[in-house]
Amino acid sequence: MAEPFIPLSSSMLFLTVISLFLASGVEGNIGVNYGTVANNLPPTSQVAHFLLESTVINRVKLYDANPDILKAFAHTGIAVTVTVPNDLIPRLTKLSFAQQWVEDNVRPYTPTTSIVRILVGNEVITTADKSLIGNLVPAMQTLHTALVAASLDRRIQVSTPHSLGVLSNSSPPSTGKFLLGYDVHVMKPLLSFLRATNSPFMINPYPFFGCSSDTLDYALFRPNAGVLDGNTGLLYTSMLDAQLDAVFSAMKVLGFDDLEIVIAETGWPSMGDSTQVGVDANVAAEYNGNLMRHVSSGAGTPLMPNRTFETYIFALFNEDLKPGPTSERNFGLFRQDMTPVYDIGILRPTARSSIPNNQTPIPSKTPPLNPKPRSSKGKRWCLPKTGADESTLQRNVDYVCGLGLDCEPIQQGGDCFLPNTVRAHAAFAMNAYYQSTGKNESDCDFDQTGAITDVDPSYGKCQY
């Protein structure tokens, strides 16, 4: 197209506002935990490039502040969360140590690496270590003071993730409460700090660890009879919703139901021991695929309706050195060669085209792993170029949909709505324009952001 953009009419402006609203509600909600307890992981630079170019993931959470990883993610725009290990928490209460930690682990990498959050420890309260627990909130406060001194406090949040073990009661969800003793002396000051610094409460809910053969459907977001909360009359058809609402209820008891809740870890293993329920690649794909759809849908939970949840899937890779049962080493979305253990829709269409054909079968609820074969009749499709600027791609969507072409498939509930990213929606819209015109090469120019391919990007019910 020689002139891809035209002045917006009032109807097109409305479509633009709606499109931007939908994009802002979900874009960037899905991240991944990048664990490194393995001896066969690919180089960090390859990992960063893979996530940027081949997936729709634009958030990663680290369990340390590994300098090689932080360097690798420079100039990618991927939001990075780093972690101060548990054993450093007592020392972090000293301002001089906190300032030095920031100088060593944050200053050299920001802003080229987009560090957006520092986590102080991991599941500290359930360690039962009195020294760690007693120093947790003071360490968070001191670290924040160090960030203020470095003029980084407006860019970088401070929080800490918890297991569901911080709750003394979680069923029914409306009766959720924090552990007695810790509720007033630890959790309340912690929540006060999070509110004062505009930081989220972070929780690690795992329906996998809470389910049995009788509750597997409930854990996997499958159709089920549900569980009624007799106090509220609300029906729960998802174990994750029940877990999140129990946390919300505990926060509400202390007067902090206004805080954002972030799912810092959740996932499902693709392999496990014979005594474990639902441990195979199909079930793992089903959980994580349904998880992505659910937390990004805007439906929220019974007690927190109309919300999306920033969510970090555990984990990026299988980690062969992790102790414990087989499942602990098999939570990864990807193998060490960066081929998927299963696909849940986070691979870009161009990446799917390079996946070998001998991958694990995918359940019907998730998009197929492999793209359709190359067209034998010479058919072509128009897709965004790798690395195309998202603001330009969004304008492409606005332009095409504003022309009156059918964009319903990329609206919420449409067959091509997920993954709900600017790039994926632009791929559909740009191709729709290309197919509706003379299919000349110029019809896929889009200000030099489009490229023609002979690999069909269709998946599942989403047909291009």
Side-chain angles (χ1 to χ4, degrees):
M1 295 187 305
E3 296 292 335
F5 307 116
I6 59 177
L8 293 177
S9 65
S10 59
S11 60
M12 287 178 65
L13 181 60
F14 174 76
L15 285 169
T16 300
V17 172
I18 293 298
S19 181
L20 288 171
F21 172 78
L22 289 172
S24 65
V26 177
E27 180 72 14
N29 263 15
I30 304 298
V32 68
N33 285 277
Y34 184 178
T36 57
V37 188
N39 60 7
N40 55 1
L41 297 181
T44 56
S45 58
Q46 289 183 19
V47 174
H49 184 267
F50 170 72
L51 290 179
L52 177 65
E53 299 294 339
S54 300
T55 79
V56 297
I57 292 170
N58 62 4
R59 291 178 177 271
V60 297
K61 178 169 148 297
L62 310 180
Y63 291 93
D64 52 21
N66 185 307
D68 293 333
I69 296 178
L70 293 177
K71 290 175 186 175
F73 279 92
H75 305 293
T76 63
I78 294 174
V80 179
T81 293
V82 299
T83 301
V84 181
N86 284 5
D87 59 356
L88 294 183
I89 290 174
R91 298 173 65 188
L92 200 63
T93 60
K94 295 181 175 60
L95 182 58
S96 59
F97 182 84
Q99 289 176 322
Q100 191 61 52
W101 194 92
V102 169
E103 286 298 315
D104 293 343
N105 297 282
V106 178
R107 275 278 202 189
Y109 311 106
T110 189
T112 53
T113 297
S114 180
I115 301 174
V116 297
R117 193 175 290 143
I118 303 173
L119 305 183
V120 178
N122 185 48
E123 301 185 348
V124 173
I125 291 176
T126 46
T127 65
D129 185 315
K130 292 183 179 180
S131 175
L132 296 182
I133 296 169
N135 284 299
L136 176 60
V137 177
M140 294 171 69
Q141 293 168 332
T142 307
L143 178 59
H144 177 72
T145 300
L147 290 173
V148 171
S151 299
L152 294 172
D153 56 301
R154 294 188 178 181
R155 180 181 298 163
I156 301 174
Q157 297 176 327
V158 176
S159 189
T160 185
H162 308 274
S163 75
L164 289 174
V166 297
L167 300 178
S168 62
N169 192 57
S170 60
S171 183
S174 61
T175 64
K177 290 183 178 65
F178 291 117
L179 293 167
L180 187 63
Y182 293 125
D183 52 354
V184 174
H185 299 294
V186 180
M187 298 307 297
K188 191 168 185 177
L190 190 151
L191 293 165
S192 295
F193 168 80
L194 296 178
R195 176 185 280 167
T197 59
N198 195 31
S199 299
F201 184 83
M202 304 186 72
I203 191 72
N204 299 342
Y206 279 91
F208 170 71
F209 292 116
C211 78
S212 64
S213 57
D214 294 332
T215 58
L216 188 59
D217 289 348
Y218 182 51
L220 293 172
F221 307 92
R222 292 171 178 167
N224 63 89
V227 177
L228 182 69
D229 186 328
N231 295 327
T232 61
L234 296 172
L235 184 68
Y236 286 82
T237 57
S238 156
M239 186 180 292
L240 181 72
D241 281 356
Q243 293 173 338
L244 292 175
D245 275 359
V247 172
F248 173 80
S249 295
M251 295 166 63
K252 186 175 182 179
V253 168
L254 297 178
F256 293 91
D257 55 336
D258 57 314
L259 293 184
E260 178 189 1
I261 295 176
V262 167
I263 300 173
E265 280 185 30
T266 191
W268 202 282
S270 60
M271 188 181 300
D273 298 320
S274 59
T275 56
Q276 295 179 300
V277 175
V279 280
D280 62 48
N282 286 348
V283 176
E286 186 175 6
Y287 175 77
N288 283 323
N290 288 338
L291 167 77
M292 286 178 59
R293 284 184 280 276
H294 185 63
V295 300
S296 300
S297 68
T301 70
L303 288 179
M304 295 180 286
N306 306 316
R307 284 200 195 186
T308 59
F309 294 93
E310 182 183 335
T311 300
Y312 292 83
I313 298 174
F314 185 86
L316 180 55
F317 295 112
N318 286 332
E319 297 174 76
D320 65 328
L321 298 183
K322 294 196 76 172
T326 303
S327 59
E328 286 295 316
R329 294 176 288 284
N330 290 279
F331 272 87
L333 297 174
F334 295 95
R335 301 181 181 90
Q336 284 65 33
D337 62 358
M338 292 185 283
T339 58
V341 179
Y342 48 83
D343 183 29
I344 55 173
I346 59 175
L347 287 173
R348 300 184 188 277
T350 51
R352 285 197 183 95
S353 68
S354 64
I355 298 171
N357 290 323
N358 60 349
Q359 300 295 316
T360 304
I362 307 302
S364 60
K365 289 190 177 182
T366 57
L369 182 61
N370 297 310
K372 296 184 182 298
R374 293 177 183 272
S375 171
S376 59
K377 298 181 180 180
K379 189 172 182 181
R380 298 291 184 267
W381 294 265
C382 176
L383 299 176
K385 288 182 179 178
T386 299
D389 177 68
E390 286 200 351
S391 62
T392 304
L393 295 182
Q394 183 62 59
R395 291 200 302 273
N396 294 347
V397 174
D398 300 338
Y399 171 73
V400 171
C401 296
L403 292 175
L405 293 178
D406 183 14
C407 288
E408 283 192 14
I410 56 174
Q411 300 302 314
Q412 189 161 5
D415 290 339
C416 303
F417 178 67
L418 295 174
N420 186 12
T421 65
V422 172
R423 185 179 182 85
H425 289 183
F428 180 89
M430 292 163 65
N431 182 67
Y433 180 90
Y434 175 71
Q435 300 296 336
S436 70
T437 58
K439 299 182 184 177
N440 297 313
E441 188 170 343
S442 60
D443 295 323
C444 186
D445 182 72
F446 287 95
D447 202 19
Q448 299 184 353
T449 61
I452 296 172
T453 178
D454 62 354
V455 178
D456 187 349
S458 301
Y459 59 90
K461 293 182 180 179
C462 181
Q463 299 300 309
Y464 277 62

